[in-house]
Amino acid sequence: MSAGTGAFDGVSDRVWFISHAGADRAWAEWVGWQLLDAGHQVELDYWDWGTGDNFVLKMNAALERGRLLALFSPAYFEPERFTTPEWTAVVAMREKITPVRISRVDPPAILRPLLSRDLFGLSPAEARRVLLEAVDGPARPDAEPPFPGTHSVLRQVGASGPRLPGSLPRVRNLPARNAAFTGRDGMLVHLRQALASDQRVAVQALHGRGGVGKTQLALEYAYRFAGEYELAWWIAAEDLALIPGQLAALAARIGAAPAGTAPAEAVELLLGELGTMSRWLLVFDNAEDSDALAPFLTGGTTGHVLITSRNPNWHTHAHSLDVTTLSRAESVALLRAQSAVLADADADSIAATLDDLPLALAQAAALLTRGLSAADLKEELAANLVQVMDQGHPPGYPLALAAQVRLTRSSLQSDHPAAAAVVDALALLAPEPFPLTTCVGHLPDQASTLLKEAVGARLSAAGAVDAVARHGLARVHNGTLQLHRLTQDMLAGQMTDQEHDQATADAEALLTAADPGWARDPRFWPAWQVLLPHALAIDPSRLTTSRGRSTLGQACWYLMDRGQARPARDRLQLLYDTLLQQLGPDHDDTLRAAHHLARAYGDTQDHERARALDEDTLARRRRLNGDDDPGTLAIAGNLAVRLKVLGRHEEALALNEETLETRRRVSGAEHPDTLRTAYNLVVRLADVGRVGEARVLGEETLERLRRVLGAEHPDTRMTAAWLELLREQQEGPGAGE
């Protein structure tokens, strides 16, 4: 992207519009500074354009009143960049472009005739000279002009300009740069803007799950914007006890404290010294406790602090930036960064399997460069994901992904065993947010002692959620916990058989505790929308309690009400077959599963199979529970529907009449189940041509539905719609208007 800057009424009346890619912001600011210092007027977006400004209008205005200075780089010519309309507009207007190259790149054919000067690979002084020659033309002197004194625009206000981008600070201890770092341009620009916008010490905390690339992002920032700092110091912050010693070494290096000074005293002297300085960067890598780190965060004038952490809770001490997974395009680029040759489809498939997680992608790229083909890698990932992710570790990462997850899980088990039980259970559910706090007070007896400890009360649940978040194993939002799919796969693959069995039981316990209630009730639909993916994720054959099976049945009913009968049928079939084998055909859980499965058959147009199953279930219900049992009556109503669909209208009508009479006697005339049965009878009467009787019963039923369930309930609205159809049949359209 390009951009803007402040103007100066002095040496030149020409405004130079600096056109650059967002990834090259450091170069753009250095160039802008040098031009201002030489007396030129400059427009740079980061300096001159405010939030809410219309980018297109600003760009057009800048091009109309000034000359375009283009900073050529590989990123500059990426098609999706705003730099493309900038230079193409200038070419179209037959205006002159002044290009300088800030890295090695071959421009498009239309721009190749332009002579460009190279700024990269030069000393700061030489790069400044070349830049000014490009801007001012060959009339500029070859030698550096004398010291301009008070005539220098920037030095008049006491400013000291940034060094050449890429040049390293005099005082530094940065780890080696990752040559394979790919993407994150937008996040780097956002981070630079956030740090540069603060007038005092700016503290940014990069947080996210393990392997998402927080450390690599901080390191790339330190190198990419190294020219902005005179001091850049890296502190390994995972062990708080080691931080004072690392800061004491910095204090000795800059003369803030004599060598050998006690660490605590050296830190105090260092923080005081930094308070008087500007243009310094401290990076606290892998810090976990915000309050414990707070004493090392200096106040004072201008300086920047970066923190990387799995813990998202930095709001008191820093501005937080959530580091998420890569975009798919960035993932593909990372897979190819080590010269791996990949077809687009293979790259996309591998990236999807690895959840676009940078660490996992870097490991995969290393395997591809060591001789594994794309087909081999995809096959291994499908068969042995945990084993593949245990293979070594790429440069810049201390551990392989599997080892990192194993270590984090072990740490959580040690720090908060109850929270670890929650994570193990969630690893077997869906990679969507799970409403953990809704489970408080509703856990069934089969839940483990640790799970009951974690979700026994709201405050204990909040503590478990906080512990999981601090270890970076899940995202937290509004009482929900969300584990990413790859993290789930790692956790599940590392459990022992005994741990997996307990996690399965706890997953079922969480599922039943979060059960919102009857899936046909509109009040519970928002909660079912959240719970549904988790209900569908659990293996129906592993459910061991009536409550768990009932929750799955209700979830499938909710799914069928939304027109997704096929996935519901598949799960219900597996549940029914399992229960037939384990509990027998007469068990109440088996009969309830048969009731749900028969509807799934009907909704997938397998009507004869639906009738046969409902008929068998009705016979068993009558024998086991009697004719008046609610379960018997529900199956009788369903069977009437099957008969009607098969064209057996008189049989369906007789069964409906019998069922309604029993419902009224057992439950009363205004019970919701009675009213639903009455609606079914209205439909049956209309089917056999008894429209007048259907209208009388329908009017009576509609009045009761409005009184009992309300005018907006789906049953009420459906009955009203049927009555309107019946009225039109008898009286013709518009007769009641």
Side-chain angles (χ1 to χ4, degrees):
M1 184 18 276
S2 344
T5 184
F8 165 70
D9 296 328
V11 175
S12 172
D13 60 357
R14 174 182 294 167
V15 179
W16 285 96
F17 175 56
I18 303 176
S19 175
H20 68 98
D24 301 323
R25 173 174 176 169
W27 273 105
E29 292 187 324
W30 183 85
V31 167
W33 186 282
Q34 304 307 320
L35 294 183
L36 279 177
D37 190 52
H40 292 283
Q41 297 186 68
V42 180
E43 184 151 354
L44 181 64
D45 52 0
Y46 293 121
W47 293 350
D48 298 325
W49 299 356
T51 302
D53 285 346
N54 186 304
F55 169 79
V56 176
L57 295 179
K58 281 284 189 180
M59 184 179 72
N60 287 339
L63 292 175
E64 287 176 359
R65 67 173 175 266
R67 292 279 300 279
L68 186 119
L69 178 65
L71 309 189
F72 284 4
S73 72
Y76 188 85
F77 295 109
E78 291 175 358
E80 67 273 13
R81 302 260 183 198
F82 279 111
T83 49
T84 301
E86 289 168 7
W87 67 259
T88 53
V90 173
V91 170
M93 292 187 297
R94 302 182 180 274
E95 296 290 337
K96 182 179 179 182
I97 297 175
T98 300
V100 292
R101 295 201 313 169
I102 56 175
S103 60
R104 195 172 304 280
V105 65
D106 291 323
I110 194 172
L111 297 179
R112 286 174 192 163
L114 297 179
L115 297 177
S116 61
R117 303 293 299 274
D118 290 347
L119 302 185
F120 63 94
L122 306 176
S123 68
E126 182 67 11
R128 174 186 168 97
R129 183 186 65 78
V130 171
L131 170 67
L132 295 180
E133 284 182 357
V135 167
D136 294 329
R140 296 286 296 175
D142 293 331
E144 182 178 352
F147 176 67
T150 58
H151 298 291
S152 169
V153 175
L154 298 178
R155 294 187 180 97
Q156 287 180 23
V157 294
S160 60
R163 295 189 323 281
L164 187 70
S167 61
L168 295 175
R170 178 178 57 85
V171 179
R172 65 183 187 277
N173 71 335
L174 299 175
R177 190 175 191 176
N178 183 358
F181 184 89
T182 303
R184 302 290 199 194
D185 284 353
M187 192 164 283
L188 284 164
V189 169
H190 174 83
L191 186 57
R192 175 61 188 165
Q193 288 174 326
L195 288 169
S197 64
D198 278 311
Q199 298 302 309
R200 297 175 64 80
V201 176
V203 184
Q204 291 282 324
L206 308 177
H207 66 87
R209 61 170 165 150
V212 81
K214 304 176 295 294
T215 295
Q216 293 303 309
L217 180 62
L219 185 60
E220 179 64 19
Y221 173 87
Y223 275 101
R224 190 170 297 191
F225 294 98
E228 305 295 324
Y229 301 105
E230 297 296 340
L231 179 161
W233 204 254
W234 193 274
I235 302 106
E238 186 168 13
D239 188 339
L240 286 168
L242 301 181
I243 294 177
Q246 297 175 75
L247 293 176
L250 174 58
R253 178 74 176 274
I254 66 174
T261 303
E265 182 182 352
V267 169
E268 183 177 354
L269 292 170
L270 172 66
L271 297 183
E273 182 68 17
L274 292 177
T276 67
M277 298 170 56
S278 63
R279 300 183 61 208
W280 51 263
L281 172 69
L282 299 183
V283 182
F284 292 90
D285 184 40
N286 207 19
E288 298 306 330
D289 189 331
S290 59
D291 290 334
L293 189 67
F296 304 111
L297 303 178
T298 177
T301 56
T302 54
H304 297 163
V305 176
L306 269 183
I307 299 166
T308 71
S309 178
R310 289 172 297 180
N311 181 4
N313 301 319
W314 289 91
H315 311 293
T316 304
H317 306 292
H319 299 289
S320 292
L321 180 60
D322 187 8
V323 182
T324 58
T325 52
L326 297 173
S327 69
R328 183 55 49 83
E330 290 174 328
S331 297
V332 170
L334 180 55
L335 285 171
R336 291 169 170 161
Q338 298 182 34
S339 302
V341 179
L342 280 174
D344 290 345
D346 288 334
D348 184 76
S349 174
I350 294 169
T353 299
L354 298 178
D355 209 17
D356 297 302
L357 187 69
L359 171 54
L361 293 165
Q363 288 181 245
L367 291 172
L368 289 169
T369 58
R370 281 167 24 200
L372 209 60
S373 71
D376 291 338
L377 178 58
K378 290 194 292 183
E379 189 173 323
E380 287 296 323
L381 288 172
N384 308 295
L385 179 64
V386 175
Q387 184 178 345
V388 173
M389 291 293 100
D390 236 341
Q391 299 298 307
H393 63 270
Y397 293 90
L399 296 169
L401 178 62
Q404 185 181 85
V405 172
R406 188 180 300 113
L407 185 64
T408 304
R409 178 173 180 252
S410 177
S411 174
L412 181 61
Q413 287 174 325
S414 175
D415 295 345
H416 201 308
V422 171
V423 166
D424 283 355
L426 294 182
L428 304 185
L429 296 177
E432 274 82 31
F434 184 85
L436 187 69
T437 55
T438 65
C439 299
V440 173
H442 302 294
L443 284 176
D445 292 338
Q446 92 271 13
S448 67
T449 301
L450 287 175
L451 189 65
K452 291 176 181 176
E453 178 184 330
V455 198
R458 295 190 189 282
L459 291 181
S460 60
V465 167
D466 180 66
V468 174
R470 283 189 288 104
H471 283 76
L473 285 171
R475 296 172 65 87
V476 177
H477 177 68
N478 197 26
T480 66
L481 279 175
Q482 180 181 13
L483 269 67
H484 288 268
R485 182 189 52 76
L486 190 60
T487 302
Q488 289 180 308
D489 292 342
M490 292 291 103
L491 290 167
Q494 293 173 1
M495 294 180 195
T496 64
D497 290 343
Q498 183 178 357
E499 289 173 334
H500 199 280
D501 289 343
Q502 185 58 66
T504 300
D506 281 347
E508 181 178 352
L510 287 177
L511 197 64
T512 58
D515 188 332
W518 194 33
R520 291 198 61 175
D521 192 327
R523 294 175 300 166
F524 303 139
W525 289 350
W528 272 115
Q529 186 175 6
V530 173
L531 190 63
L532 181 65
H534 302 287
L536 300 181
I538 202 164
D539 184 352
S541 67
R542 298 294 301 271
L543 295 171
T544 61
T545 68
S546 293
R547 284 185 62 184
R549 296 161 188 149
S550 175
T551 299
L552 177 61
Q554 288 294 311
C556 289
W557 199 275
Y558 175 86
L559 199 62
M560 289 186 287
D561 279 348
R562 277 140 192 84
Q564 301 182 57
R566 175 51 64 180
R569 173 174 172 167
D570 293 342
R571 286 163 176 80
L572 290 169
Q573 186 71 64
L574 180 56
L575 177 64
Y576 179 66
D577 292 344
T578 301
L579 295 178
L580 272 180
Q581 182 179 3
Q582 293 179 351
L583 305 177
D586 287 346
H587 192 280
D588 195 61
D589 288 358
T590 309
L591 294 172
R592 188 181 299 111
H595 166 55
H596 292 134
L597 180 59
R599 182 197 165 174
Y601 286 156
D603 284 3
T604 53
Q605 311 307 308
D606 198 348
H607 300 300
E608 182 56 39
R609 196 171 184 181
R611 180 208 58 77
L613 185 55
D614 268 341
E615 205 165 72
D616 177 76
T617 305
L618 179 60
R620 294 180 187 278
R621 284 285 190 191
R622 283 173 168 167
R623 173 171 53 81
L624 295 167
N625 307 116
D627 292 343
D628 294 349
D629 180 76
T632 304
L633 295 171
I635 295 299
N638 290 346
L639 179 57
V641 174
R642 314 299 169 216
L643 293 170
K644 180 260 185 186
V645 171
L646 291 170
R648 296 161 63 173
H649 298 292
E650 294 295 343
E651 293 176 76
L653 177 61
L655 185 54
N656 249 144
E657 289 176 329
E658 177 188 338
T659 304
L660 179 58
E661 181 182 346
T662 307
R663 286 271 194 204
R664 284 173 170 168
R665 175 170 51 81
V666 172
S667 304
E670 295 196 346
H671 190 280
D673 290 340
T674 304
L675 296 174
R676 193 169 295 108
T677 303
Y679 163 78
N680 289 335
L681 182 55
V682 170
V683 178
R684 300 294 90 77
L685 288 167
D687 288 339
V688 297
R690 294 158 62 177
V691 178
E693 294 175 69
R695 287 189 65 183
V696 171
L697 178 60
E699 295 288 356
E700 173 189 315
T701 303
L702 179 60
E703 181 182 348
R704 286 173 170 164
L705 282 168
R706 285 171 172 161
R707 185 166 59 250
V708 175
L709 299 180
E712 296 303 316
H713 192 279
D715 289 353
T716 307
R717 299 175 69 175
M718 185 165 54
T719 303
W722 256 99
L723 278 175
E724 179 63 21
L725 288 174
L726 294 177
R727 183 191 60 75
E728 291 183 1
Q729 284 185 33
Q730 280 196 316
E731 305 173 14
E737 296 179 2

